[in-house]
């Protein structure tokens, strides 16, 4: 087993993961309420970029809160799936197979 080669490969993979995380800051996930009155945009790293609220929702605080919770949760779920899929792909593609570590990235 070439330990130095593996260490180099691990470093390279770590850099690719960091690059992927930076790129995910530019991947936008849009979500909206079923009636389109509330729209949110997140990055694939789950940072909120924008929230758009129709004026009619501003008249009912409780309804607005419900809309925010439902729509943000859907957007966060989508962003999380995108984030995990991208990072898993990098890790699986570039990780050297080390005995006993194959379950680490599942």
């Amino acid at each position: 087993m070439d330990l130095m080669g593996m260490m180099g490969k691990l470093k390279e993979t770590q850099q690719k993961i960091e690059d992927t995380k930076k790129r995910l800051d530019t991947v936008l996930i849009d979500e909206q309420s079923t009636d389109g009155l509330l729209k949110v945009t997140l990055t694939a790293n789950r940072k909120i970029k924008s929230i758009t609220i129709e004026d009619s929702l501003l008249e009912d605080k409780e309804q607005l809160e419900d809309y925010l919770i439902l729509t943000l949760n859907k957007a966060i779920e989508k962003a999380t799936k995108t984030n995990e899929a991208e990072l898993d792909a990098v890790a699986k593609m570039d990780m050297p197979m080390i005995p006993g570590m194959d379950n680490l990235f599942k």
Side-chain angles (χ1 to χ4, degrees):
M1 201 172 351
D2 176 14
L3 194 55
M4 291 306 288
M6 255 198 279
M7 293 305 286
K9 188 76 169 158
L10 285 170
K11 254 191 188 333
E12 185 181 314
T13 300
Q14 190 175 16
Q15 184 59 51
K16 285 183 181 180
I17 289 172
E18 290 305 313
D19 292 346
T20 301
K21 285 180 181 178
K22 284 181 190 158
R23 187 177 56 75
L24 289 173
D25 276 333
T26 67
V27 174
L28 299 179
I29 308 293
D30 295 314
E31 187 59 61
Q32 65 180 12
S33 59
T34 50
D35 56 13
L37 296 178
L38 179 84
K39 297 176 183 170
V40 299
T41 301
L42 273 65
T43 69
N45 281 328
R46 298 173 296 275
K47 301 272 189 261
I48 297 171
K49 296 301 268 183
S50 71
I51 298 176
T52 305
I53 302 168
E54 289 294 321
D55 290 342
S56 62
L57 281 178
L58 297 176
E59 297 163 15
D60 186 342
K61 180 181 182 287
E62 200 170 290
Q63 183 183 15
L64 175 57
E65 289 169 347
D66 289 344
Y67 270 59
L68 282 166
I69 290 167
L70 289 171
T71 308
L72 283 168
N73 280 333
K74 281 198 299 186
I76 290 167
E77 187 177 323
K78 273 187 183 177
T80 298
K81 285 180 182 174
T82 301
N83 183 290
E84 288 174 352
E86 291 283 330
L87 291 175
D88 283 353
V90 171
K92 286 179 183 167
M93 178 177 58
D94 289 326
M95 282 301 291
M97 278 300 116
I98 301 170
M101 292 187 74
D102 50 342
N103 290 326
L104 193 62
F105 294 101
K106 287 185 180 173

